[in-house]
C-alpha cells in the first residue's frame, strides 16, 4: 500500500530513510502488523521519495481509495541497494520476520488497540 506523493511530502523531513515496523489499519478494519519503507528504493532507481506499507495480512479484496492509518513503532535497518531481486526479496522476508517479533512484545502489542485506529463514522473494510 503506497502513500500518494502528497502524503509523502507531508511526512516530517527529519524521519530517516529506511525500513520501519508498526501497525496499520485500512478504513475501520482490523489493525495488522506492517513493515514500512521510507526512501528512494535504490534497487529500482526511484527519483521520488516513497512511503510503502507492507501490511502483514492477506486481504480478500483490494482497498484502493480507502484511508490507510499507520503507527510507526520502531526502526529495522537503513535503506540499501541490492545486487539482485532475490537479495531484495530475502531482505524483505527478514524485515517481515523482525517486525513480527518486535510487534509481539507487550509494549508494542498494546498500541494495536489505540483509539487512533477508530475513524469516526468509518465503515469496516472487508478483511
Amino acid at each position: 500500500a503506497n502513500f500518494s506523493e502528497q502524503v509523502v511530502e507531508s511526512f516530517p523531513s527529519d524521519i530517516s530513510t529506511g525500513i520501519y515496523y508498526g501497525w496499520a489499519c485500512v478504513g475501520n478494519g482490523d489493525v495488522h502488523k506492517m513493515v514500512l519503507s521510507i526512501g528512494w528504493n535504490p534497487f529500482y532507481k526511484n527519483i521520488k521519495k516513497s512511503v510503502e506499507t507492507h501490511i502483514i495480512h492477506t486481504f480478500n479484496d483490494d482497498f484502493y481509495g480507502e484511508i490507510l492509518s499507520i503507527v510507526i513503532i520502531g526502526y529495522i535497518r537503513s535503506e540499501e541497494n541490492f545486487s539482485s531481486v532475490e537479495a531484495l526479496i530475502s531482505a524483505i522476508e527478514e524485515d517481515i520476520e523482525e517486525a513480527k517479533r518486535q510487534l509481539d512484545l507487550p509494549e508494542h502489542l498494546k498500541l494495536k488497540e489505540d483509539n487512533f485506529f477508530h475513524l469516526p463514522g468509518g465503515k469496516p473494510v472487508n478483511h
Side-chain angles (χ1 to χ4, degrees):
N2 298 345
F3 284 104
S4 70
E5 196 174 310
Q6 180 182 4
V7 171
V8 173
E9 289 172 0
S10 71
F11 261 64
S13 59
D14 60 347
I15 293 180
S16 299
T17 60
I19 310 303
Y20 294 82
Y21 61 88
W23 298 104
C25 179
V26 177
N28 264 349
D30 293 337
V31 178
H32 300 285
K33 294 174 180 176
M34 65 89 176
V35 175
L36 184 78
S37 170
I38 300 175
W40 285 271
N41 299 322
F43 184 77
Y44 292 105
K45 298 176 177 54
N46 289 2
I47 57 170
K48 291 194 179 227
K49 190 175 191 178
S50 67
V51 178
E52 300 176 357
T53 308
H54 173 80
I55 301 172
I56 305 171
H57 177 75
T58 302
F59 289 86
N60 295 330
D61 298 305
D62 69 49
F63 46 84
Y64 290 103
E66 294 288 346
I67 293 175
L68 174 61
S69 302
I70 64 168
V71 172
I72 299 171
I73 306 296
Y75 182 79
I76 297 176
R77 63 176 174 85
S78 62
E79 183 177 44
E80 58 188 271
N81 201 348
F82 295 93
S83 57
S84 67
V85 172
E86 293 77 20
L88 171 62
I89 291 170
S90 177
I92 291 169
E93 289 170 349
E94 290 172 19
D95 297 338
I96 290 168
E97 291 309 310
E98 179 64 13
K100 288 178 181 178
R101 280 191 295 275
Q102 291 295 327
L103 291 166
D104 280 340
L105 295 172
E107 64 267 28
H108 296 153
L109 262 176
K110 69 181 179 184
L111 296 170
K112 180 180 180 182
E113 305 304 324
D114 194 277
N115 284 336
F116 168 78
F117 290 114
H118 303 291
L119 298 172
K123 60 181 172 54
V125 172
N126 182 7
H127 24 227

